[in-house]
Amino acid sequence: MRIFSFSPFGYEGSLVSVEVDLRRGIPAVDIVGLADGAVKESRERMRSAITNSGFEFPAERVLISLSPADLKKEGAGFDLAVAVAVLGAKENSRETNEDDSMWTAESPEDTGDSVLVMGELELNGNIRPVRAVHAAVCTACAGGIRKCIVPEANAEEAREVSGMRVFGAQTLSEAFCALNDSKAFTQKERSGSSNALAGIPEGSVNIEGVLFAPVSPELDFKEVRGQTKLIRALQIAAAGGHNILAYGPPGCGKTLCMQRFPSIIPLLTPDEAQSVTRIYSIAGLLPHNSPSVRTAPFRQPHQTATIEGMCGGGPKCTPGEISLAHNGGLFLDEAAEFRTSVLQMLRVPLETASITLSRAGRTSVFPADFQLLMSTNPCPCGNYGSTDKLCLCSARAVEQYWKKFSSPLLDRIELRVRADNNAGENTKGVSSEELRVQVARAVSAQRKRQGKRNSKLNASEIVKFCRCTDGAKKILNEAQEKLGFSPRAASLCMKVARTVADMSEKFCIDEECMQEAVDFRKAEGNALTDMGML
């Protein structure tokens, strides 16, 4: 029997083989294989747990090897694997009864019968849940391991991985007894295919084949009065996965609208949910009662967030906010108050949809395919461009305020909206259910046509899928000449126009769709245009 555990580092992590050798000598427990403090302390937890569970701790000298030897082992998740391996070695020594022999918990020749074991031990033998179980089981399954023993609290999380047989243990005794009992391992029954509808919130609705979570009353757009243009931009952003920037005076409703954005985002597909669930499992943020993440993430970090907090890192190379927002939205409220270095760090992940982290000689690549939503004031005092209030900021102050964003970052934002205090304040609010209809229509069309969101189309796919009428091409060409659109800006306009056309069930992009995309891009009559940043 080969016993494996898992060392979480970055997005990938590594499987760790656990070997135990019982030999003559002064009774002691030695752990080799670059174990950190938490892993070395497992010697005492493991000894007490074995004794308090009714087993006899080996009287020989115990050598525990964690391989590969040059990989640093971190965390308390090795406790159960080490304890089970020690008990297996003790049992093997009784069966062989050869005093001069060396016993190990695994036979190097036997590679077919392997098991993944994870869990933290209490002194009384109970097993505590650990993080990164989903990631560990996925890695083990990819490596050909089909059985795992995990804490009962993590069992459903492990069963979400197709093809893995799982035993959820509450105590060390249960885990050791199950080790040689193949009937104790079970896997989740799946109806139809591996794309089972796991983790879908109760009350979710299906609109044209696209699933949406139930609308929370406090996040319903019907509570918003006015800001019709901003709500329209958010609807387009949800339909095509586009980035958006809203700017306007304080109190006009920018944050109010942005925080309701999750109510019109579709649920994740099973394929999208796999990577999101793995990230949240690694970060230790996966709820025990929700083994799979199907709701699109929506992260709202504070303005004091550091580069490490946003992009990830630390001793264990844990995911940052942009990875936690993978396949969802990252909302930066009062974006101009974030550090300039933090804002500029977003530029590459917005293009590559991933981020590469290097820590202590090791490299890990986290997915970071997120939508960027930003809201900010037009100037430090907030009154620039207002018709009824006086702006007290100098031209230099306004320029410095907007230079925190930089043109390369703003050039990657497809939708720019100015929100005013009197922007349709008497108009009736539109509910999230009504907004979802066009979003679902567009998402369904994109999935059938190209299998991804319009915002992710590359140059060749834009030519193939974004067919325009002659009038639409003329509008875009004029915008490039008169407004100085960059090639990137022109391609982003094409993507937004394609989304608008999908929302209206139009095969080709017509003049109306292109004009709306250009209008959201140019955002004329504001501080950004005056400074030549848009």
Side-chain angles (χ1 to χ4, degrees):
M1 173 70 69
R2 299 194 54 150
I3 297 176
F4 289 88
S5 193
F6 184 76
S7 177
F9 181 90
Y11 183 71
E12 299 83 6
S14 303
L15 288 176
V16 176
S17 176
V18 181
E19 302 174 81
V20 174
D21 175 30
L22 302 184
R23 51 185 175 167
R24 289 184 176 182
I26 299 175
V29 179
D30 299 313
I31 298 181
V32 296
L34 280 183
D36 73 345
V39 178
K40 289 180 179 178
E41 289 174 355
S42 67
R43 294 177 297 186
E44 304 306 322
R45 291 192 296 270
M46 176 262 301
R47 183 190 295 270
S48 297
I50 288 177
T51 303
N52 294 332
S53 297
F55 298 103
E56 181 183 353
F57 193 83
E60 297 85 0
R61 191 176 186 89
V62 181
L63 175 63
I64 301 168
S65 176
L66 306 177
S67 57
D70 60 347
L71 178 71
K72 189 172 182 179
K73 321 304 186 304
E74 300 173 322
F78 290 91
D79 289 8
L80 184 59
V82 169
V84 167
V86 169
L87 290 175
K90 178 67 175 177
E91 184 178 78
N92 187 39
S93 69
R94 287 178 177 174
E95 292 176 356
T96 57
N97 194 27
E98 294 178 8
D99 295 337
D100 296 329
S101 296
M102 178 174 63
W103 302 284
T104 64
E106 69 165 275
S107 174
E109 294 81 14
D110 182 14
T111 58
D113 191 12
S114 302
V115 60
L116 173 72
V117 183
M118 291 186 71
E120 178 183 346
L121 286 173
E122 296 180 357
L123 299 184
N124 59 5
N126 291 336
I127 302 174
R128 296 172 57 86
V130 294
R131 68 181 181 93
V133 168
H134 183 274
V137 175
C138 287
T139 303
C141 198
I145 300 174
R146 292 294 180 264
K147 294 193 298 183
C148 70
I149 299 175
V150 297
E152 178 64 31
N154 297 118
E156 288 304 313
E157 178 182 345
R159 290 191 179 99
E160 287 301 316
V161 180
S162 179
M164 180 62 73
R165 300 171 61 204
V166 181
F167 177 77
Q170 294 181 326
T171 64
L172 174 59
S173 300
E174 293 180 0
F176 183 64
C177 291
L179 195 62
N180 296 312
D181 183 7
S182 60
K183 296 181 180 179
F185 296 84
T186 60
Q187 61 184 22
K188 188 172 184 176
E189 295 292 333
R190 301 184 184 273
S191 56
S193 68
S194 60
N195 292 344
L197 302 181
I200 294 181
E202 185 177 353
S204 297
V205 295
N206 187 322
I207 305 175
E208 298 195 22
V210 180
L211 290 171
F212 291 87
V215 179
S216 177
E218 61 271 14
L219 295 180
D220 200 327
F221 273 100
K222 70 179 180 181
E223 301 298 327
V224 181
R225 294 293 181 268
Q227 301 301 347
T228 307
K229 189 173 183 180
L230 177 54
I231 293 176
R232 172 63 175 174
L234 287 169
Q235 185 185 31
I236 296 173
H242 306 291
N243 304 315
I244 181 172
L245 167 66
Y247 51 96
C252 66
K254 305 183 298 295
T255 302
L256 185 73
C257 292
M258 291 284 198
Q259 290 178 336
R260 281 160 171 71
F261 183 69
S263 68
I264 58 174
I265 303 178
L267 291 178
L268 301 177
T269 64
D271 290 338
E272 293 171 339
Q274 280 293 326
S275 56
V276 176
T277 302
R278 184 182 181 105
I279 292 171
Y280 275 71
S281 173
I282 292 168
L285 300 177
L286 193 63
H288 298 312
N289 58 352
S290 179
S292 179
V293 178
R294 290 299 297 271
T295 304
F298 186 77
R299 305 291 297 183
Q300 186 178 345
H302 192 261
Q303 295 89 342
T304 57
T306 63
I307 290 181
E308 291 75 14
M310 293 292 287
C311 68
K316 299 179 182 179
C317 206
T318 52
E321 289 293 337
I322 63 173
S323 293
L324 293 173
H326 177 59
N327 286 333
L330 177 68
F331 175 37
L332 305 185
D333 193 16
E334 299 294 344
E337 302 303 323
F338 282 80
R339 302 176 188 181
T340 304
S341 57
V342 170
L343 293 175
Q344 300 314 311
M345 178 272 303
L346 299 173
R347 287 156 55 177
V348 174
L350 281 173
E351 289 288 335
T352 63
S354 64
I355 184 167
T356 302
L357 302 178
S358 297
R359 297 291 185 274
R362 298 178 63 185
T363 300
S364 181
V365 180
F366 275 99
D369 188 1
F370 62 94
Q371 278 182 262
L372 180 61
L373 298 89
M374 297 193 295
S375 68
T376 187
N377 296 328
C379 67
C381 78
N383 296 328
Y384 188 96
S386 177
T387 57
D388 55 353
K389 292 184 179 180
L390 179 64
C391 176
L392 302 177
C393 303
S394 65
R396 175 69 175 170
V398 176
E399 182 181 1
Q400 291 296 324
Y401 184 79
W402 280 101
K403 275 190 174 179
K404 294 190 69 175
F405 295 98
S406 81
S407 293
L409 175 61
L410 292 175
D411 198 44
R412 291 169 167 83
I413 309 298
E414 296 100 311
L415 304 166
R416 296 92 174 272
V417 187
R418 178 176 176 86
D420 295 318
N421 280 324
N422 57 353
E425 56 187 10
N426 295 322
T427 59
K428 183 180 179 181
V430 182
S431 69
S432 295
E433 284 87 352
E434 296 175 88
L435 296 173
R436 284 175 168 183
V437 175
Q438 285 191 318
V439 173
R441 189 180 300 156
V443 172
S444 178
Q446 293 163 52
R447 290 176 179 174
K448 293 176 182 177
R449 183 177 60 237
Q450 70 242 7
K452 58 181 173 181
R453 311 296 288 277
N454 287 333
S455 61
K456 305 306 174 187
L457 296 176
N458 57 37
S460 61
E461 290 170 336
I462 290 176
V463 174
K464 181 178 180 181
F465 299 120
C466 300
R467 299 179 181 177
C468 301
T469 63
D470 292 338
K473 292 179 182 178
K474 182 179 179 181
I475 291 174
L476 183 59
N477 291 335
E478 290 178 351
Q480 286 184 274
E481 294 176 3
K482 295 180 180 179
L483 301 174
F485 281 3
S486 66
R488 178 193 284 128
S491 65
L492 293 180
C493 280
M494 291 283 286
K495 296 178 185 180
V496 173
R498 179 68 267 175
T499 299
V500 175
D502 289 337
M503 294 169 69
S504 304
E505 296 184 308
K506 297 178 180 178
F507 178 75
C508 285
I509 299 172
D510 59 16
E511 294 88 340
E512 183 182 359
C513 299
M514 185 61 73
Q515 188 62 58
E516 186 171 12
V518 171
D519 289 342
F520 276 121
R521 178 75 191 186
K522 64 184 181 182
E524 49 189 3
N526 56 75
L528 283 76
T529 305
D530 296 343
M531 291 180 291
M533 299 189 72
L534 289 184

